[in-house]
Amino acid sequence: MNLGIDVRPLAYGITGNSRYLAETLQILIPRFPNIKFTFFSNKPIHPVFSDLLKNSNIILVIETRKIPGPFYLHFILPRRITQQKVDSFWATLQLLPFRKLKIPSFVNYHDLNFISAPETMAKWNYFQHKLFSPRTLKNADRIFCLSQNTQYEIGNHFPKQISKCVVIYPGVIRRKFKRENRNFPPNFYLTIGTLEPRKNLQTHNNAFINFKSLNPNDNHSLLILGRKGWGTEGDELYLYLQSNESKNNHIFFFENPNDDTLGQAIQDCEAFFFPSLHEGFGLPLLEAMIENKRCIASDIPVFKEILEEKNDLYVSASSEKAWENAFHSASQFLTTERSPKFNEENWTWNKTADLLQKELFK
């Protein structure tokens, strides 16, 4: 058997998509030494995933010239799939080629942002998904939903495709990292995310500034780990986070953090904040919970599948005042550790890989 996989998420370093793919492949590939895993990408694989490429049953099909993602997906990739005599294909970025493939096709589905939260998307990405997502859902033989909320949204908007859906949650493991002097501020709250509208970091920052102005004796800082995105957050907020004014307001930004920085920040923070307006899942929450951290997150349906009311707080996502009150609650009333502690056995990558195995290798 030859399983083709769209591994473009692995070209961008550590993201939610790439972690889901890499962690499951690290388990699945050694289980099936006689199966070929053909990796397709229009860009080179990021060095952070170099260990994954050491498996002898991987075939790399990487384009040598620069090709835009949509053009690659719809025109180049189908030809490569035919050339490599692939038996089935796994799409990991929520879209299949426009023309239905002649082989069994599987697709990861994270969210229906183009319907439920179009204002949080870049225009080109919105139009791409609005045009091609319905076709993908129709052409897919199986749809891997990363949450029950995603499965519900597909059933609500595309009821004919609901029978194809199966929920396959991500897993989580403790990050292994080198502990070094990262120049983190003392007593910090942490949030992680790309500077883009969906992550809601502008509202979150304003709330923290208001909280500090009303509580001048509070000794907490806010640490943001992420990368430059788009929209107002990708421009104005990005410039602000580079400024001395940001540091004077006790807000610190670490751009493009590596795994060591992410791991140490999660382990050292006093609480983890996740203010997203919309998410397909929310893997950083699990990464904070496994380190026994309390979480303060947006009151959106998908987070109800992850967090625990005994330990965590839900906040009205778009309300600056609500986030200000959340900072106050965190500083005054929250203990730093979860009780009861996070049950790691409920969220393992082996469980994720087992479910994928049943679907991909029937």
Side-chain angles (χ1 to χ4, degrees), residues 39-66:
F39 286 9
F40 297 98
S41 178
N42 63 329
K43 295 181 179 180
I45 306 300
H46 194 281
V48 73
F49 301 113
S50 58
D51 285 348
L52 179 62
L53 303 181
K54 294 177 181 178
N55 291 280
S56 61
N57 52 336
I58 289 176
I59 300 170
L60 276 179
V61 183
I62 310 297
E63 300 303 316
T64 56
R65 56 197 175 97
K66 190 174 182 180

Side-chain angles (χ1 to χ4, degrees), residues 14 44 53 57 74 92 103 121 126 135 143 184 192 221 251 263 269 276 279 286-287 291 329 332 339 345 347:
I14 301 296
L53 303 181
N57 52 336
H74 298 297
T92 60
I103 56 177
M121 302 179 71
Y126 164 73
R135 187 82 174 185
I143 302 164
F184 292 154
I192 297 172
S221 295
I251 299 174
C269 73
S276 299
E279 288 285 346
L286 286 183
E287 293 182 317
E291 292 293 348
S329 296
Q332 297 294 321
S339 179
E345 295 303 312
W347 300 91

